[in-house]
Amino acid sequence: MTGSPIVSAEGVVKRFGLLEVLKGVSLDVQPGETVCIIGPSGSGKTTFIRCINHLEKIDGGRIEVNGHLIGYREKNGKLVEDSEVNIARQRVEIGMVFQRFNLFPHMTALENVIEAPLRVRKLSKELAVKEGEALLDRVGLADKRDVYPGKLSGGQQQRVAIARALAMKPALMLFDEPTSALDPETIGEVLEVMKELVAVGMTMIVVTHEMGFAREAADRVVMMDEGLVIEEGTPEHFFTRPDHERTQQFLSKIL
């Protein structure tokens, strides 16, 4: 793939107190690419994608999305934290789907989906509802538009969360282990929606333990361990002949 990457992360460092969670992570993601990040718990996967959305501030390196620095601006050759207004504007380009849905419990499925388009994109109520209904239909939940999250299964809530992220028309979708809090029987519903996004060319970074999804849907798989990217390659390379001993060890335990 050629052209400018949607995501360009260079030497990203993140510390929590004395603990260095990211030790210089670099990753480029091209438009339309699906990159799955795998690795053991505590390897820095979730922290890294939270840094891409500036939900975590970085301690070193730089991250650009769509050609814009995220969370920072350059001043006299150094990076300084950007204003909240600019950070909010940058976040509009990035959709994020969390492990635990994070839906507003006092709003129906449709209200959850249209809240940000009304407030941030300043859509008319009529257009927001029309787009919101189309998105709920797209994730297979047209009949749940007036249902509150508490009455939806985990899989249904996660599909609403995906529709909500898509409602902002993001250039990039981040998924943080989107199926880890789900019952086994509802995992498939969410993965099907994600595969449909892959098929239409959405740029996606997916932190996942679902190796079947990574094998089938990813353009590239990235292995993280102890705060570093230790290997990346096509799913075929990864699941048939990984180079790194740590990757081989990790896959042998979970496949």
Side-chain angles (χ1 to χ4, degrees):
M1 297 187 192
T2 54
S4 300
I6 291 264
V7 179
S8 178
E10 292 173 32
V12 176
V13 173
K14 173 65 187 175
R15 297 183 197 92
F16 293 109
L18 295 175
L19 180 66
E20 196 169 49
V21 181
L22 300 177
K23 302 173 181 174
V25 174
S26 297
L27 183 71
D28 282 0
V29 179
Q30 299 294 341
E33 193 176 23
T34 297
V35 173
C36 284
I37 302 179
I38 66 169
S41 295
S43 58
K45 310 181 298 291
T46 289
T47 300
F48 177 56
I49 66 165
R50 286 175 66 84
C51 288
I52 294 174
N53 207 5
H54 201 62
L55 291 173
E56 298 289 355
K57 298 175 183 182
I58 62 177
D59 296 304
R62 59 191 286 143
I63 299 172
E64 292 184 5
V65 173
N66 249 358
H68 310 297
L69 264 173
I70 292 292
Y72 300 88
R73 56 192 169 80
E74 296 202 53
K75 187 177 178 184
N76 304 328
K78 288 195 173 138
L79 294 188
V80 294
E81 183 133 22
D82 214 338
S83 68
E84 283 299 322
V85 172
N86 280 346
I87 291 168
R89 197 178 295 135
Q90 292 161 349
R91 278 209 189 109
V92 170
E93 298 187 0
I94 306 169
M96 178 111 184
V97 178
F98 300 88
Q99 290 181 32
R100 295 241 166 231
F101 331 131
N102 291 17
L103 297 175
F104 297 116
H106 61 289
M107 293 184 180
T108 64
L110 181 63
E111 286 167 348
N112 265 283
V113 173
I114 68 174
E115 174 73 0
L118 287 172
R119 285 174 180 262
V120 183
R121 286 176 55 208
K122 306 290 189 225
L123 290 192
S124 68
K125 181 83 183 270
E126 188 184 10
L127 183 55
V129 167
K130 189 177 169 190
E131 286 188 5
E133 287 175 338
L135 283 166
L136 286 173
D137 186 41
R138 185 172 171 186
V139 300
L141 293 173
D143 60 331
K144 304 291 185 190
R145 57 162 283 174
D146 299 322
V147 178
Y148 290 91
K151 296 276 193 279
L152 297 172
S153 71
Q156 289 169 334
Q157 288 185 63
Q158 194 60 293
R159 284 186 282 156
V160 173
I162 293 172
R164 179 180 62 179
L166 291 172
M168 292 303 289
K169 302 194 183 312
L172 168 70
M173 286 282 280
L174 304 174
F175 291 86
D176 180 19
E177 298 191 18
T179 57
S180 67
L182 301 181
D183 297 328
E185 60 200 33
T186 61
I187 287 173
E189 320 168 348
V190 173
L191 294 179
E192 281 309 310
V193 171
M194 292 170 65
K195 285 177 194 167
E196 191 256 338
L197 294 179
V198 173
V200 298
M202 173 61 76
T203 309
M204 299 175 19
I205 302 178
V206 184
V207 170
T208 186
H209 290 299
E210 297 293 332
M211 295 303 141
F213 176 81
R215 191 190 290 254
E216 189 181 331
D219 295 294
R220 216 162 16 119
V221 181
V222 171
M223 169 80 181
M224 285 185 69
D225 190 41
E226 295 186 351
L228 289 165
V229 170
I230 61 168
E231 185 164 2
E232 57 179 286
T234 63
E236 185 197 20
H237 159 84
F238 237 83
F239 293 110
T240 56
R241 48 179 193 285
D243 298 326
H244 202 288
E245 190 181 339
R246 182 71 183 96
T247 310
Q248 295 165 10
Q249 196 183 16
F250 177 71
L251 291 173
S252 73
K253 283 185 182 155
I254 59 171
L255 290 179

